[in-house]
Amino acid sequence: MVRNDRLLSTALIVFGVTFCLVYPLAVVWPSGWAWHTGSPASSNYFMMIVGVYATLGVFLIRAAWKPFDNRSLIWFTVWSSVVHAVVMALQALSQDMHHGHLAGDVPALLLVALVLAVLMKRSDRDHAPDRT
C-alpha cells in the first residue's frame, strides 16, 4: 500500500469514528455541537443528524480498507462537509447563541474536508496510469 493510502486510510478511520461519536460530543460540549437547548436526545432534528453521521462514519471506516475503490464516497464526504460547514457558519454568525459552533463543528467539518481532499488528491496521483 502506498504511504498516501495509509494516511488516507488512517484519516478515514479517525473521521469515521468521530462521526460515530457526534452524540457524545454534543453531550460533552453542547454549545459546539448541538443546535438546541436541553439534552441531545430532546431534538428530533439532532437525532436525525446523529443517525446520518453515524451511518456515514461506518461507511468511512469500511472505505479505509480500499480507499481507491471508494473515491465517490470520500469526495461526497469532502464536499458535503464543506457545504454543511458553510451553512452552519452563516447560521452561527447570524445568531449570537450559536457562536460556539464557530469553534466546534464548523472548523471540524472544514478540517475533515481539507484533510480528505489533500489525501485524495495524493492518492489519485499515486494511482494515475503512468503516461511515460
Side-chain angles (χ1 to χ4, degrees), residues 13-76:
I13 291 168
V14 168
F15 294 141
V17 168
T18 303
F19 283 175
C20 289
L21 297 174
V22 168
Y23 185 89
L25 285 168
V27 170
V28 173
W29 184 15
S31 66
W33 297 92
W35 286 78
H36 62 282
T37 57
S39 75
S42 68
S43 169
N44 291 336
Y45 161 77
F46 184 73
M47 293 310 295
M48 285 187 281
I49 291 295
V50 166
V52 169
Y53 272 97
T55 304
L56 179 57
V58 169
F59 276 85
L60 290 176
I61 293 166
R62 289 177 48 103
W65 302 113
K66 293 184 179 183
F68 190 73
D69 293 344
N70 291 281
R71 291 184 309 275
S72 61
L73 172 68
I74 298 167
W75 281 115
F76 168 79

Coordinates of all heavy atoms in Angstrom, one line a residue, residues 13-76:
I13 N -10.5 6.3 9.1 CA -10.9 5.7 10.3 C -11.1 6.7 11.4 O -12.1 6.6 12.2 CB -9.9 4.6 10.7 CG1 -9.9 3.4 9.8 CG2 -10.1 4.1 12.2 CD1 -8.7 2.5 9.9
V14 N -10.2 7.6 11.6 CA -10.3 8.7 12.6 C -11.6 9.5 12.4 O -12.4 9.7 13.4 CB -9.1 9.6 12.6 CG1 -9.3 10.8 13.5 CG2 -7.9 8.8 13.1
F15 N -11.9 9.9 11.2 CA -13.1 10.7 10.9 C -14.3 9.9 11.0 O -15.4 10.4 11.5 CB -13.0 11.5 9.6 CG -11.9 12.5 9.5 CD1 -11.1 12.7 8.4 CD2 -11.6 13.3 10.6 CE1 -10.1 13.6 8.3 CE2 -10.6 14.3 10.6 CZ -9.9 14.4 9.4
G16 N -14.2 8.6 10.6 CA -15.4 7.7 10.7 C -15.8 7.5 12.1 O -17.0 7.6 12.5
V17 N -14.8 7.3 13.0 CA -15.1 7.1 14.4 C -15.6 8.4 15.0 O -16.6 8.4 15.8 CB -13.8 6.6 15.2 CG1 -14.0 6.7 16.7 CG2 -13.5 5.2 14.8
T18 N -15.1 9.5 14.6 CA -15.6 10.8 15.1 C -17.0 11.0 14.7 O -17.8 11.5 15.5 CB -14.7 12.0 14.6 OG1 -13.3 11.7 15.0 CG2 -15.1 13.3 15.2
F19 N -17.3 10.7 13.5 CA -18.7 10.9 13.0 C -19.7 10.0 13.8 O -20.8 10.3 14.1 CB -18.9 10.6 11.5 CG -18.4 11.7 10.6 CD1 -18.3 11.5 9.3 CD2 -18.0 12.9 11.1 CE1 -17.9 12.5 8.4 CE2 -17.5 13.9 10.3 CZ -17.5 13.7 8.9
C20 N -19.2 8.8 14.2 CA -20.0 7.9 15.0 C -20.2 8.5 16.4 O -21.1 8.0 17.2 CB -19.4 6.5 15.1 SG -19.5 5.6 13.5
L21 N -19.3 9.4 16.8 CA -19.4 10.0 18.2 C -20.0 11.4 18.3 O -19.8 12.1 19.3 CB -18.0 10.0 18.8 CG -17.3 8.7 18.9 CD1 -15.8 8.8 19.4 CD2 -18.0 7.8 19.9
V22 N -20.8 11.7 17.3 CA -21.4 13.1 17.3 C -22.3 13.2 18.5 O -22.3 14.3 19.2 CB -22.2 13.3 16.0 CG1 -23.1 14.6 16.1 CG2 -21.3 13.5 14.8
Y23 N -23.0 12.2 18.9 CA -23.9 12.3 20.1 C -23.1 12.6 21.4 O -23.4 13.5 22.1 CB -24.8 11.0 20.2 CG -25.8 11.1 21.3 CD1 -27.0 11.7 21.1 CD2 -25.5 10.7 22.6 CE1 -28.0 11.8 22.1 CE2 -26.4 10.9 23.7 CZ -27.6 11.4 23.4 OH -28.5 11.5 24.4
P24 N -22.1 11.7 21.7 CA -21.3 12.0 22.9 C -20.7 13.4 22.9 O -20.5 14.1 23.9 CB -20.3 10.9 23.0 CG -20.8 9.8 22.1 CD -21.7 10.5 21.1
L25 N -20.2 13.9 21.7 CA -19.6 15.2 21.6 C -20.6 16.3 22.0 O -20.3 17.2 22.6 CB -19.1 15.5 20.2 CG -17.8 14.7 19.8 CD1 -17.6 14.8 18.3 CD2 -16.7 15.3 20.5
A26 N -21.9 16.1 21.6 CA -22.9 17.1 21.9 C -23.3 17.0 23.4 O -23.7 18.0 24.0 CB -24.2 16.8 21.1
V27 N -23.1 15.9 24.0 CA -23.3 15.8 25.5 C -22.2 16.5 26.2 O -22.5 17.3 27.2 CB -23.4 14.3 25.9 CG1 -23.4 14.2 27.5 CG2 -24.6 13.6 25.4
V28 N -21.0 16.3 25.8 CA -19.8 16.9 26.5 C -19.7 18.4 26.2 O -19.4 19.2 27.1 CB -18.5 16.2 26.0 CG1 -17.3 16.9 26.5 CG2 -18.5 14.7 26.4
W29 N -20.0 18.8 24.9 CA -19.8 20.2 24.5 C -21.0 20.7 23.7 O -20.9 20.9 22.5 CB -18.5 20.4 23.7 CG -18.2 21.8 23.4 CD1 -18.7 23.0 23.8 CD2 -17.2 22.2 22.4 NE1 -18.1 24.0 23.2 CE2 -17.2 23.6 22.3 CE3 -16.4 21.5 21.5 CZ2 -16.4 24.3 21.5 CZ3 -15.6 22.2 20.7 CH2 -15.6 23.6 20.6
P30 N -22.2 20.9 24.4 CA -23.4 21.2 23.6 C -23.3 22.5 22.8 O -23.8 22.5 21.7 CB -24.4 21.4 24.7 CG -23.9 20.9 26.0 CD -22.4 20.8 25.8
S31 N -22.6 23.5 23.3 CA -22.6 24.8 22.5 C -21.8 24.7 21.3 O -21.9 25.5 20.4 CB -22.1 25.9 23.4 OG -20.7 25.7 23.7
G32 N -20.9 23.6 21.2 CA -20.1 23.5 20.0 C -20.6 22.4 19.0 O -20.2 22.3 17.9
W33 N -21.6 21.6 19.4 CA -22.1 20.5 18.6 C -23.6 20.4 18.5 O -24.0 19.7 17.5 CB -21.5 19.2 19.1 CG -20.0 19.2 19.1 CD1 -19.1 19.6 20.1 CD2 -19.2 18.9 18.0 NE1 -17.9 19.6 19.6 CE2 -17.8 19.1 18.3 CE3 -19.5 18.4 16.7 CZ2 -16.8 18.9 17.5 CZ3 -18.4 18.2 15.8 CH2 -17.1 18.4 16.2
A34 N -24.4 20.9 19.4 CA -25.8 20.7 19.3 C -26.4 22.1 19.0 O -26.0 23.1 19.5 CB -26.4 20.2 20.7
W35 N -27.5 22.1 18.2 CA -28.1 23.3 17.8 C -29.5 23.6 18.5 O -30.4 24.2 18.0 CB -28.4 23.3 16.3 CG -27.1 23.5 15.5 CD1 -26.1 22.6 15.3 CD2 -26.6 24.7 15.0 NE1 -25.1 23.1 14.6 CE2 -25.4 24.5 14.4 CE3 -27.2 26.0 14.9 CZ2 -24.6 25.4 13.7 CZ3 -26.4 27.0 14.2 CH2 -25.2 26.7 13.7
H36 N -29.5 23.1 19.8 CA -30.8 23.3 20.5 C -30.4 23.2 22.0 O -29.3 22.9 22.4 CB -31.7 22.1 20.2 CG -31.2 20.8 20.6 ND1 -30.3 20.1 19.8 CD2 -31.4 20.0 21.6 CE1 -29.9 19.0 20.4 NE2 -30.6 18.9 21.5
T37 N -31.3 23.6 22.8 CA -31.1 23.5 24.3 C -31.7 22.2 24.8 O -32.5 21.6 24.1 CB -31.8 24.7 25.0 OG1 -33.2 24.7 24.7 CG2 -31.2 26.0 24.6
G38 N -31.2 21.8 25.9 CA -31.6 20.5 26.5 C -30.7 19.4 26.1 O -29.7 19.6 25.4
S39 N -31.1 18.2 26.4 CA -30.3 17.0 26.1 C -30.3 16.8 24.6 O -31.2 17.2 23.9 CB -30.8 15.8 26.8 OG -32.0 15.3 26.2
P40 N -29.2 16.2 24.1 CA -29.2 15.9 22.6 C -30.4 15.1 22.1 O -30.9 15.4 21.1 CB -27.9 15.2 22.4 CG -27.0 15.6 23.6 CD -27.9 15.9 24.7
A41 N -30.8 14.2 23.0 CA -31.9 13.3 22.6 C -33.3 14.1 22.5 O -34.2 13.6 22.0 CB -32.0 12.1 23.5
S42 N -33.3 15.3 23.1 CA -34.6 16.0 23.1 C -34.9 16.7 21.7 O -36.0 17.2 21.6 CB -34.6 17.1 24.2 OG -33.7 18.1 23.9
S43 N -34.0 16.6 20.8 CA -34.3 17.2 19.5 C -34.4 16.1 18.4 O -33.4 15.4 18.1 CB -33.1 18.2 19.1 OG -33.2 18.6 17.8
N44 N -35.5 16.1 17.8 CA -35.7 15.1 16.7 C -34.7 15.4 15.5 O -34.2 14.5 15.0 CB -37.1 15.1 16.1 CG -38.1 14.6 17.1 OD1 -37.8 13.8 18.0 ND2 -39.4 15.0 17.0
Y45 N -34.6 16.7 15.2 CA -33.6 17.1 14.2 C -32.2 16.6 14.5 O -31.6 16.0 13.6 CB -33.6 18.6 14.0 CG -32.4 19.1 13.3 CD1 -32.3 19.0 11.9 CD2 -31.3 19.6 14.0 CE1 -31.2 19.4 11.2 CE2 -30.2 20.1 13.3 CZ -30.1 19.9 11.9 OH -29.0 20.3 11.3
F46 N -31.7 16.8 15.7 CA -30.4 16.4 16.1 C -30.2 14.9 16.0 O -29.2 14.4 15.5 CB -30.0 16.9 17.4 CG -28.6 16.6 17.8 CD1 -27.5 17.3 17.2 CD2 -28.3 15.6 18.7 CE1 -26.2 17.0 17.5 CE2 -27.0 15.3 19.0 CZ -25.9 16.0 18.4
M47 N -31.2 14.2 16.4 CA -31.1 12.7 16.4 C -31.1 12.2 14.9 O -30.4 11.2 14.6 CB -32.2 12.1 17.2 CG -32.2 12.3 18.7 SD -30.5 12.0 19.4 CE -30.4 10.2 19.2
M48 N -31.7 12.9 14.0 CA -31.6 12.5 12.6 C -30.2 12.8 12.1 O -29.6 12.0 11.4 CB -32.6 13.3 11.7 CG -34.0 12.8 11.9 SD -35.2 13.6 10.8 CE -35.4 15.2 11.6
I49 N -29.6 13.9 12.5 CA -28.2 14.2 12.1 C -27.3 13.2 12.7 O -26.4 12.7 12.0 CB -27.8 15.6 12.6 CG1 -28.6 16.7 11.8 CG2 -26.3 15.9 12.5 CD1 -28.3 16.8 10.4
V50 N -27.5 12.8 13.9 CA -26.7 11.7 14.6 C -26.8 10.4 13.7 O -25.7 9.8 13.5 CB -27.1 11.5 16.0 CG1 -26.6 10.2 16.6 CG2 -26.7 12.7 16.9
G51 N -28.0 10.1 13.3 CA -28.1 8.9 12.5 C -27.4 8.9 11.2 O -26.8 8.0 10.8
V52 N -27.5 10.1 10.5 CA -26.9 10.2 9.2 C -25.4 10.2 9.4 O -24.7 9.5 8.6 CB -27.3 11.5 8.5 CG1 -26.5 11.9 7.3 CG2 -28.8 11.5 8.1
Y53 N -24.8 10.9 10.4 CA -23.4 11.0 10.5 C -22.9 9.6 11.0 O -21.7 9.2 10.7 CB -23.0 12.1 11.4 CG -22.8 13.4 10.6 CD1 -23.7 14.3 10.4 CD2 -21.6 13.5 9.8 CE1 -23.6 15.4 9.6 CE2 -21.4 14.6 9.0 CZ -22.4 15.6 8.9 OH -22.2 16.6 8.1
A54 N -23.6 8.9 11.9 CA -23.1 7.6 12.4 C -23.0 6.6 11.2 O -22.1 5.9 11.0 CB -24.0 7.1 13.4
T55 N -24.0 6.7 10.3 CA -24.0 5.8 9.1 C -22.9 6.2 8.2 O -22.1 5.3 7.7 CB -25.4 6.0 8.3 OG1 -26.4 5.7 9.2 CG2 -25.4 5.1 7.1
L56 N -22.7 7.5 8.0 CA -21.5 7.9 7.2 C -20.2 7.5 7.8 O -19.3 7.0 7.1 CB -21.5 9.4 6.9 CG -20.4 10.0 6.1 CD1 -20.3 9.4 4.8 CD2 -20.5 11.5 6.1
G57 N -20.1 7.6 9.1 CA -18.9 7.2 9.8 C -18.6 5.7 9.6 O -17.5 5.3 9.4
V58 N -19.6 4.8 9.7 CA -19.4 3.4 9.5 C -18.9 3.2 8.1 O -18.0 2.4 7.9 CB -20.7 2.6 9.8 CG1 -20.6 1.2 9.3 CG2 -21.1 2.7 11.3
F59 N -19.5 3.8 7.1 CA -19.1 3.6 5.7 C -17.7 4.2 5.5 O -16.9 3.6 4.7 CB -20.1 4.2 4.7 CG -21.2 3.2 4.5 CD1 -22.3 3.2 5.3 CD2 -21.1 2.4 3.4 CE1 -23.3 2.3 5.1 CE2 -22.2 1.5 3.1 CZ -23.2 1.4 4.0
L60 N -17.3 5.3 6.1 CA -15.9 5.8 6.0 C -14.9 4.8 6.6 O -13.8 4.6 6.0 CB -15.7 7.1 6.7 CG -16.5 8.3 6.1 CD1 -16.3 9.6 6.9 CD2 -16.0 8.5 4.6
I61 N -15.3 4.2 7.7 CA -14.4 3.2 8.3 C -14.2 2.0 7.3 O -13.1 1.5 7.1 CB -14.9 2.7 9.7 CG1 -14.8 3.8 10.7 CG2 -14.2 1.5 10.2 CD1 -15.6 3.6 12.0
R62 N -15.3 1.6 6.7 CA -15.3 0.5 5.7 C -14.4 0.9 4.5 O -13.7 0.1 4.0 CB -16.7 0.1 5.3 CG -17.5 -0.7 6.4 CD -18.9 -1.0 5.9 NE -18.9 -1.5 4.5 CZ -19.1 -2.8 4.3 NH1 -19.3 -3.7 5.2 NH2 -19.1 -3.3 3.0
A63 N -14.6 2.1 4.1 CA -13.8 2.6 3.0 C -12.3 2.7 3.2 O -11.5 2.6 2.3 CB -14.3 4.0 2.6
A64 N -11.9 2.7 4.5 CA -10.5 2.7 4.8 C -9.7 1.5 4.3 O -8.5 1.6 4.0 CB -10.3 2.9 6.3
W65 N -10.4 0.4 4.1 CA -9.7 -0.8 3.7 C -9.4 -0.7 2.2 O -8.4 -1.3 1.8 CB -10.6 -2.0 4.0 CG -10.9 -2.1 5.4 CD1 -12.1 -2.0 6.0 CD2 -9.9 -2.3 6.5 NE1 -11.9 -2.0 7.4 CE2 -10.6 -2.2 7.7 CE3 -8.5 -2.4 6.5 CZ2 -10.0 -2.3 9.0 CZ3 -7.9 -2.5 7.8 CH2 -8.6 -2.5 8.9
K66 N -10.2 0.0 1.4 CA -9.9 0.2 0.0 C -10.3 1.6 -0.4 O -11.3 1.8 -1.1 CB -10.7 -0.9 -0.8 CG -10.2 -2.3 -0.6 CD -11.0 -3.2 -1.6 CE -10.5 -4.6 -1.4 NZ -11.2 -5.6 -2.3
P67 N -9.5 2.6 0.0 CA -9.9 4.0 -0.3 C -10.1 4.2 -1.8 O -11.0 4.9 -2.2 CB -8.7 4.8 0.2 CG -8.0 3.9 1.1 CD -8.3 2.5 0.7
F68 N -9.2 3.7 -2.6 CA -9.3 4.0 -4.1 C -10.6 3.5 -4.7 O -11.1 4.1 -5.6 CB -8.1 3.4 -4.8 CG -8.0 3.8 -6.2 CD1 -7.5 5.1 -6.5 CD2 -8.3 3.0 -7.3 CE1 -7.4 5.6 -7.8 CE2 -8.2 3.4 -8.6 CZ -7.8 4.7 -8.9
D69 N -11.1 2.4 -4.1 CA -12.4 1.9 -4.6 C -13.6 2.6 -4.1 O -14.7 2.4 -4.5 CB -12.5 0.4 -4.2 CG -11.5 -0.5 -4.9 OD1 -10.9 -0.1 -5.9 OD2 -11.3 -1.7 -4.5
N70 N -13.4 3.5 -3.2 CA -14.5 4.3 -2.5 C -14.3 5.8 -2.7 O -14.7 6.6 -1.9 CB -14.5 4.0 -1.0 CG -14.9 2.5 -0.8 OD1 -16.1 2.2 -0.8 ND2 -14.0 1.7 -0.6
R71 N -13.7 6.2 -3.9 CA -13.5 7.6 -4.1 C -14.7 8.4 -4.1 O -14.7 9.5 -3.5 CB -12.8 7.8 -5.5 CG -11.3 7.2 -5.5 CD -10.6 7.5 -6.8 NE -11.4 7.1 -8.0 CZ -11.4 5.8 -8.5 NH1 -10.7 4.9 -7.9 NH2 -12.1 5.5 -9.6
S72 N -15.8 8.0 -4.7 CA -17.0 8.8 -4.7 C -17.6 9.1 -3.3 O -18.0 10.2 -3.0 CB -18.1 8.2 -5.6 OG -18.5 6.9 -5.1
L73 N -17.5 8.1 -2.4 CA -18.0 8.3 -1.0 C -17.1 9.3 -0.4 O -17.5 10.2 0.4 CB -17.9 7.0 -0.3 CG -18.2 7.1 1.2 CD1 -19.6 7.5 1.5 CD2 -17.9 5.8 2.0
I74 N -15.8 9.2 -0.6 CA -14.8 10.1 0.1 C -15.0 11.5 -0.4 O -15.1 12.5 0.3 CB -13.4 9.6 -0.1 CG1 -13.2 8.2 0.6 CG2 -12.4 10.6 0.5 CD1 -11.9 7.5 0.2
W75 N -15.2 11.7 -1.8 CA -15.4 13.0 -2.3 C -16.8 13.6 -1.9 O -16.9 14.8 -1.6 CB -15.3 13.0 -3.8 CG -13.8 13.1 -4.2 CD1 -13.1 12.1 -4.9 CD2 -12.9 14.1 -4.0 NE1 -11.8 12.5 -5.1 CE2 -11.6 13.7 -4.5 CE3 -12.9 15.4 -3.3 CZ2 -10.5 14.5 -4.4 CZ3 -11.8 16.1 -3.2 CH2 -10.6 15.7 -3.8
F76 N -17.8 12.7 -1.7 CA -19.0 13.2 -1.2 C -18.8 13.7 0.2 O -19.4 14.8 0.6 CB -20.1 12.0 -1.1 CG -21.3 12.4 -0.3 CD1 -22.3 13.2 -0.9 CD2 -21.4 11.9 1.0 CE1 -23.4 13.5 -0.1 CE2 -22.5 12.3 1.7 CZ -23.5 13.1 1.2

